[in-house]
Amino acid sequence: MTSRLVQLLTARRFAPLFITQFLGAFNDNLLKSALGIAVTYRIAGQTGMDAATLVMIAGGLFIAPFFLFSGASGTLADRTDKAAIARWVKVAEIAIMLLGALGLARQSVPLLLASLFCLGTHSTVFGPIKYALLPQHLRDDELVAGNALIEAGTFLAILFGTILGGSLVLVDNGALIVGACGLVSAAGGWLASRQIPPAPPEPGPATPRPHIWRDSVAVVRHVTGRSELLLPILAVSWFWLFGATVVSGLPVLAKDVLFANERVVTLMLALFAVGIGIGSMLAERLLHGEVSARYVPLAALAMGLFAIDLHLASARLVPASELASVTAFVSAPGNWRILADLVGIAVAGGLFCVPLYALLQHESEPQHRARVIAANNIINALAMTLAAVAAAVLLARGLTMGELFAVGGLATIPVAAVAAWVVRRGLAKLVMRTVLRLLYRVRVDGLEHARAAMPHAVIAANHASFLDGLLLGAFLPGDPIFAVDTFIARKWWARPF
């Protein structure tokens, strides 16, 4: 772990937000998982309702607020102190978890669905706050590290909440235990939110009052008119489309393709969450605080190739008389390749999404940043909804879950190609840096001072060779503009550069 990550985790300008976000994501998945298991194994049978239909309705109710309220939430965050909104949201979360605990205790479908809708609304309001707060409290060279920690923490919270919610709700007094866990987590989130430093609205033109429908349309229209915002949002949406398909499909993959039991599903979810965390940390390590998307095409290509190989590795498995336990599954040598592919998808996913979130925050105007994040949430929700519909159609036509993963992997390769074209200058610099380090063992000291001075800086170089321009162009941050002697600039070999 780099010193920058440690510093952020111990700094008041980041640590309370990280804890608040972690506990909120944990509660989201604690209640969702508990509801899904309770409905499937208990409530549906007792009420005569179809479990699959109830689970689908629950999923729709959780994601509906992202379509309905994201625009208004972004507007509210841009016109109000974000730390104050975070505290209000956490107070509401305590009430929501009380409602969910009551629904579980009474096995009341209406109460459970209402709590899930309220929890989705809670996440919708908090989403623009957490990402808009980062650039307000962190320096530019800390944005990648901050986003890496947020993404890693979010996926670990999803893992813990999913496992605990699904396992605790079926034990004796499970509803009471889940409710108590949710209340303790919500109270902890509220205490942490009280330590978030003030984050008042940025100076500038007055932000209009929130309006549900108008704001949702306005924020999407704003980002679609600016390629520097739209392209990262579309790429992030692809990550959530692909990631949601993988995570939601793991239980079916384990049972119907890998012939493994539910414990193997838990293992795979754990490996995926850890992989996302590793990829997020790797992004910080490779970029050294620079806000850049140059590794995004490579990460997208890796995601696609690992997904395709996961299908190839699992396609040769033959049905067994009983589902394999964790011990039996990991004892088979060929299954290690499947687990390695899953971790590879996750690591590449973390490396893919973290720089994009940092880029989106960096390119947004401070007065409009929360609304840009809100637009990102709307488009992400739309992408995940379309992914769920497309996956349902393809599975209904006879595809296995492994084949569906391969289709997603194949579709990710053109995404990698488009991303490579968009960041071609950054990729060219990456290739040049690699070659120069291999050939000349180049070492650069004090690069953080150049980043701090950018974009208004003049570098006066002691011109010693024709490699100087190549070295400066490769290692300086951003896209430097060179003053070149006219005689040299007119040479045939210099013109392409």
Side-chain angles (χ1 to χ4, degrees):
M1 183 178 287
T2 64
S3 59
R4 186 182 285 111
L5 298 174
V6 176
Q7 289 169 2
L8 287 181
L9 283 174
T10 55
R12 187 189 167 195
R13 57 201 174 95
F14 178 79
L17 174 65
F18 176 81
I19 295 170
T20 303
Q21 154 65 15
F22 182 92
L23 294 176
F26 170 81
N27 262 355
D28 283 355
N29 291 276
L30 179 78
L31 188 58
K32 280 197 301 182
S33 178
L35 185 149
I37 296 297
V39 164
T40 302
Y41 290 96
R42 288 186 178 172
I43 299 175
Q46 295 174 6
T47 59
M49 298 180 181
D50 179 62
T53 301
L54 280 177
V55 170
M56 291 297 292
I57 292 172
L61 284 173
F62 183 81
I63 205 169
F66 288 92
F67 292 107
L68 297 174
F69 307 133
S70 283
S73 300
T75 302
L76 179 66
D78 276 332
R79 64 176 281 126
T80 312
D81 188 307
K82 300 173 188 64
I85 299 175
R87 291 191 286 273
W88 300 341
V89 167
K90 291 298 136 179
V91 171
E93 185 181 340
I94 295 174
I96 294 168
M97 295 310 294
L98 275 171
L99 181 65
L102 184 62
L104 286 171
R106 293 189 173 182
Q107 297 191 357
S108 169
V109 172
L111 285 180
L112 286 171
L113 294 181
S115 64
L116 205 59
F117 180 80
C118 291
L119 206 57
T121 303
H122 148 275
S123 299
T124 301
V125 176
F126 189 70
I129 295 171
K130 65 180 180 183
Y131 286 116
L133 265 172
L134 290 180
Q136 199 162 349
H137 288 162
L138 306 185
R139 301 188 307 268
D140 281 354
D141 64 340
E142 294 174 327
L143 275 182
V144 174
N147 280 281
L149 289 169
I150 289 289
E151 292 306 309
T154 297
F155 273 88
L156 287 175
I158 290 172
L159 172 67
F160 295 149
T162 301
I163 293 174
L164 282 178
S167 57
L168 292 179
V169 74
L170 293 180
V171 303
D172 293 336
N173 298 315
L176 181 63
I177 297 173
V178 170
C181 287
L183 285 173
V184 170
S185 178
W190 174 72
L191 291 173
S193 70
R194 291 177 59 84
Q195 301 304 314
I196 298 175
E202 299 284 353
T207 304
R209 291 182 179 275
H211 185 281
I212 292 178
W213 172 249
R214 181 188 62 207
D215 288 349
S216 295
V217 174
V219 296
V220 173
R221 185 176 295 164
H222 174 76
V223 299
T224 53
R226 298 183 54 186
S227 60
E228 70 273 19
L229 298 177
L230 180 61
L231 290 174
I233 286 175
L234 291 177
V236 168
S237 296
W238 182 263
F239 165 76
W240 284 108
L241 180 154
F242 186 76
T245 302
V246 171
V247 172
S248 62
L250 282 180
V252 177
L253 178 77
K255 181 177 181 293
D256 296 342
V257 179
L258 306 180
F259 311 106
N261 65 18
E262 66 278 4
R263 301 292 182 185
V264 176
V265 177
T266 302
L267 171 66
M268 295 170 78
L269 286 171
L271 289 174
F272 192 85
V274 171
I276 289 287
I278 294 171
S280 300
M281 300 301 110
L282 183 62
E284 156 61 19
R285 190 65 179 266
L286 291 174
L287 291 172
H288 301 288
E290 184 181 355
V291 179
S292 169
R294 62 176 175 269
Y295 290 104
V296 167
L298 300 177
L301 180 63
M303 275 198 301
L305 294 178
F306 278 122
I308 294 170
D309 190 66
L310 191 153
H311 163 61
L312 296 176
S314 61
R316 291 175 291 181
L317 298 180
V318 295
S321 57
E322 63 181 48
L323 298 179
S325 64
V326 171
T327 304
F329 185 80
V330 298
S331 298
N335 291 340
W336 283 94
R337 175 181 166 189
I338 295 171
L339 296 177
D341 285 330
L342 185 65
V343 173
I345 293 171
V347 171
L351 180 59
F352 180 85
C353 70
V354 165
L356 292 170
Y357 274 116
L359 188 64
L360 190 60
Q361 294 156 0
H362 186 266
E363 295 297 326
S364 305
E365 308 97 326
Q367 301 86 357
H368 214 286
R369 186 174 287 129
R371 280 169 283 181
V372 170
I373 301 301
N376 173 68
N377 291 343
I378 293 172
I379 296 174
N380 288 351
L382 178 62
M384 287 188 286
T385 303
L386 292 176
V389 173
V393 170
L394 291 173
L395 292 172
R397 289 182 173 272
L399 259 70
T400 66
M401 189 57 69
E403 290 168 342
L404 182 64
F405 283 14
V407 169
L410 287 170
T412 305
I413 294 176
V415 173
V418 172
W421 175 254
V422 172
V423 299
R424 57 191 180 278
R425 292 174 68 90
L427 279 177
K429 290 178 68 170
L430 176 62
V431 171
M432 284 192 292
R433 276 198 294 269
T434 303
V435 171
L436 289 169
R437 283 195 175 108
L438 288 174
L439 294 179
Y440 300 100
R441 299 188 179 182
V442 176
R443 190 186 72 190
V444 182
D445 295 321
L447 197 58
E448 66 276 7
H449 303 302
R451 292 197 187 100
M454 294 296 178
H456 307 296
V458 176
I459 307 294
N462 182 17
H463 184 35
S465 77
F466 286 116
L467 275 178
D468 292 355
L470 190 63
L471 287 164
L472 290 169
F475 288 97
L476 282 178
D479 295 319
I481 299 172
F482 290 88
V484 183
D485 180 83
T486 305
F487 177 76
I488 297 297
R490 287 175 176 171
K491 294 288 187 179
W492 66 270
W493 52 267
R495 286 183 182 178
F497 299 98

